[in-house]
Amino acid sequence: MLPKPLQRSLRALAPLLLAACSSVAPPAAQPPAGTLPATPASAPVAEVPPAVPVAPAKPVAANPAPAKPAAPKVVRKPRIALALGGGAAKGFAHVGVIRVLEQQGIVPDIITGTSAGSVVGAIYASGISADKLRRRALALNEDELKDFSLSGGGFLKGDKLAAMVNREVGRKRIEQLPRTFAAVATDFDSGARVVFRSGDTGTAVRASAAIPNVFQPVTIRGRRYVDGGLVSPVPVSAARELGADIVIAVDITAKPAQRKSGVLGTFDQSLSIMTQAALANELKGADVILRPQVLGLGAADFDQRRRAMREGEKVGKQGITAIRRAIAAWQQRQR
């Protein structure tokens, strides 16, 4: 028990202690453990968007290799063919066309020829230049091609023509020529078109140029053949069969517009009348058609060969733009 003096002191201090304790607010009640304190009603509530799944990042190489650019498509050069038509001595125009094309860097991969076109085509296919071809054409003696015969079927045998061609091509067979070549003839018994792609070059050319009633028909393996102009005046279809992408046709056929004299002239005119449908059918398959203005020349005018060559050069120059356009169009289709 406290001493009385101390009890009196505590009683005196009691009112003061009670007054001090009443001015202190009681402590706030604590929420249960594991819960968040309540948000006042007036406080703004932030909406949290739902979680978006994130794909795991791809591992990055320490030294990534640069992406390789796509290789450009290689467009090959088109296979260009020269389809040379028949027309006897007017065939010298083919030499002029070939000369201009070569000067412009357009050298055919394939050459097909009918009649006079087969003569020029075979010699050019032997690999000589256009200038050398021109020199040989100018040096040609007409008598080298004449070997008269009294037998039926024609007054020229054609042996000299075959010998001249074989001499000019170095006695190479068709399949041995540096440039792909074919000569077109007509099967005399069936009337079918025949394309010689192999065999003796001179004999094939002789068959292709065997003008009926002028040259005797040519017998090869038991079949008789005559001039290819009867069925294929300009051998475009033969060029396509040999794989040509672009065909340049050279048409020297005479149109039935004026009277011609002489045996060759009469045949030339008759052949033109008979083969109009065949000519149109062939030419529709060509990409470019060149027509040297040689209609005024006779079929036997060997002395007009320079004029024929000039006409060939003239039309060749005029056709260069069309030829380049055809080449560009073909290359564009390949891309």
Side-chain angles (χ1 to χ4, degrees):
M1 183 175 181
L2 298 173
K4 290 183 179 181
L6 183 56
Q7 291 179 2
R8 286 194 296 270
S9 298
L10 291 173
R11 281 196 294 269
L13 293 173
L16 296 176
L17 292 172
L18 289 174
C21 291
S22 62
S23 64
V24 178
Q30 297 296 322
T35 63
L36 296 175
T39 303
S42 59
V45 179
E47 294 186 6
V48 179
V52 178
V54 180
K58 295 182 180 180
V60 179
N63 295 308
K68 294 183 179 179
K73 185 177 180 180
V74 178
V75 179
R76 68 174 176 83
K77 290 178 59 178
R79 286 171 58 81
I80 299 175
L82 199 55
L84 307 177
K90 292 178 292 184
F92 287 108
H94 293 319
V95 178
V97 171
I98 291 172
R99 189 163 182 253
V100 168
L101 295 184
E102 195 170 282
Q103 288 172 348
Q104 295 294 321
I106 302 172
V107 180
D109 306 282
I110 299 167
I111 304 167
T112 56
T114 291
S115 197
S118 71
V119 178
V120 175
I123 297 173
Y124 186 53
S126 69
I128 66 174
S129 67
D131 286 335
K132 191 171 183 179
L133 175 66
R134 182 175 183 274
R135 289 194 298 271
R136 289 187 178 182
L138 290 173
L140 179 64
N141 188 333
E142 187 178 356
D143 291 335
E144 295 181 54
L145 308 178
K146 293 179 179 179
D147 47 2
F148 293 101
S149 172
L150 297 177
S151 62
F155 58 85
L156 293 177
K157 292 186 293 185
D159 291 338
K160 281 192 173 183
L161 172 63
M164 184 274 291
V165 171
N166 278 334
R167 183 173 62 253
E168 294 293 336
V169 302
R171 308 198 180 281
K172 292 184 176 68
R173 294 169 61 84
I174 293 176
E175 63 271 26
Q176 295 173 330
L177 297 175
R179 298 187 178 105
T180 301
F181 171 72
V184 178
T186 303
D187 187 307
F188 185 68
D189 298 304
S190 68
R193 178 183 67 104
V194 178
V195 181
F196 290 104
R197 305 179 186 178
S198 61
D200 184 80
T201 305
T203 302
V205 170
R206 175 188 172 191
S208 177
I211 301 171
N213 298 321
V214 177
F215 285 93
Q216 296 175 0
V218 180
T219 302
I220 302 175
R221 292 189 294 275
R223 304 293 296 181
R224 292 185 298 171
Y225 299 96
V226 293
D227 197 292
L230 294 170
V231 291
S232 180
V234 182
V236 174
S237 57
R240 293 293 185 193
E241 292 165 9
L242 290 176
D245 299 308
I246 295 173
V247 179
I248 304 167
V250 185
D251 177 20
I252 57 172
T253 57
K255 306 302 182 291
Q258 58 186 356
R259 181 176 299 175
K260 294 179 181 290
S261 60
V263 176
L264 284 178
T266 300
F267 172 78
D268 198 28
Q269 187 81 340
S270 301
L271 187 63
S272 297
I273 295 172
M274 293 187 298
T275 61
Q276 287 301 296
L279 176 63
N281 186 59
E282 287 281 18
L283 292 181
K284 70 181 182 182
D287 296 281
V288 179
I289 303 172
L290 304 179
R291 290 190 173 96
Q293 297 302 305
V294 292
L295 302 188
L297 300 182
D301 285 344
F302 271 67
D303 57 340
Q304 294 292 315
R305 70 187 76 183
R306 289 183 182 273
R307 177 182 168 189
M309 291 181 196
R310 286 196 300 270
E311 292 298 334
E313 291 180 3
K314 185 185 301 182
V315 76
K317 292 175 182 177
Q318 294 170 350
I320 291 299
T321 299
I323 294 171
R324 295 200 186 283
R325 189 182 299 123
I327 294 173
W330 182 89
Q331 291 175 327
Q332 184 62 36
R333 291 194 297 270
Q334 306 311 305
R335 292 189 171 92

